[in-house]
Amino acid sequence: MGLEGVNVRTLDEIAPTLDPGFLRDFAQLADELGLYVEMGVGKVNPYMTSELPRVRDLGEGSYLAGMERMIRTCAEFGWTETWTAVGGYKPYPGIFFTDRFRTDADWADQLAATERFLQRLAPVLRETGVRLNLETHEEITTFELLRLIDAVGEDVLGVCLDPANLAVRAEVPLEGIARIAPHVRTTQLRDAALWRTAEGLSRFIAPCGEGVIDWDAALDLVLAENPSINLTIEPIGVVRAEMKLHVADPTWRAGHPDLTDEALQSLDALAVAYEARAAAGDAESLAQLRALRPDSELEQFLLRCAAHLRATLAARTTPAMSAAAARSAAVPVPTR
């Protein structure tokens, strides 16, 4: 497909027992093909790690030990910038589709527990030189990611940038990217479409260049801080993953203490602009965004992202542009 690397969401998905022979073959083949490899490990919110029994199995009953095993394995193969996240999508209605609004533990308690768990992982991360890069996932804000990094240490924590998720937590994409750019070590790139709905706003995933993100400006922010970063694509297939911003819900609004009225106004303006493009036939309509797609859409989404990123990079004239920065990759997307 003409791509230059691969990101595996979690190590145990390709090597359930961390079989060293298989992983040596995997690493050797990637090297022979000239492909970069990025790897991920388990998630780090103790309130939801029961959803990942495979990690606990690797630690023979200890989730911490399972994570430490994966971290040491990644270090052995030189996969030192690793993916992780603080929560996951839930197939529940309303605000309950993320861990942020679970009712058995306040989000503040979840963040505090996550920070304590990360502190327990910090020694092995420092010993091995591995960094955990927390994704800008649909349950967490860039403000909260920065607080975790400040508390635990930027030597062991960074950010995996997925710009399509920023709007789910009511962050203006370029503003969120600017906040975290110095800490972005890995990427899972795709665009976001915004549409005004009865709940307030809906975010859909779109191929790079087909949503509301200014990719020239976004890449400027990221490459100025890390000019050799891999630009990795996270494609999506049969759905566009609508996620709703329940802006009129007092519980939702109270759950975003860093949110400003100005940010909501900016997001609304981005939605208005996107809807105008759709009305002109230059973007997908709400019905199209919500429609199911054929299985072949995953590959098409990926290639459209790669084409737009490469075109944007080719038009750049700044010193930040480099051969390494022009890389793009397919990302396997397991059930999250």
Side-chain angles (χ1 to χ4, degrees), residues 36-50:
Y36 72 82
V37 173
E38 295 174 341
M39 199 64 66
V41 293
K43 296 182 181 180
V44 290
N45 178 349
Y47 282 93
M48 56 79 61
T49 53
S50 62

Side-chain angles (χ1 to χ4, degrees), residues 28-103:
Q28 181 179 343
L29 179 59
D31 186 60
E32 291 172 355
L33 295 172
L35 299 175
Y36 72 82
V37 173
E38 295 174 341
M39 199 64 66
V41 293
K43 296 182 181 180
V44 290
N45 178 349
Y47 282 93
M48 56 79 61
T49 53
S50 62
E51 298 166 22
L52 302 167
R54 300 189 314 266
V55 179
R56 191 170 179 179
D57 290 345
L58 287 172
E60 298 182 336
S62 166
Y63 191 93
L64 176 67
M67 287 286 284
E68 290 173 336
R69 278 193 66 192
M70 286 197 286
I71 289 166
R72 292 185 187 281
T73 301
C74 286
E76 180 182 348
F77 291 95
W79 304 323
T80 55
E81 297 289 357
T82 61
W83 173 91
T84 189
V86 181
Y89 173 78
K90 318 295 180 188
Y92 302 131
I95 63 175
F96 299 120
F97 71 88
T98 75
D99 289 287
R100 188 180 192 91
F101 290 103
R102 62 190 302 157
T103 56

Side-chain angles (χ1 to χ4, degrees), residues 1 3 12 64 73 82 120 130 139 147 150 152 156 191 199 209 233 237-238 247 262 294 299 301 311 329:
M1 297 176 70
L3 300 169
D12 68 304
L64 176 67
T73 301
T82 61
R120 296 187 69 185
V130 171
E139 73 284 337
R147 291 176 193 131
D150 287 343
V152 181
V156 294
D191 214 326
E199 291 80 8
I233 298 161
V238 296
V247 298
E262 290 77 13
E299 182 175 319
F301 185 107

Side-chain angles (χ1 to χ4, degrees), residues 136 142 146 161 166 171-181 221:
T136 55
T142 58
L146 288 174
L161 173 63
L166 295 171
E171 294 194 67
V172 181
L174 288 182
E175 293 178 5
I177 294 170
R179 268 189 290 276
I180 57 172
L221 290 167

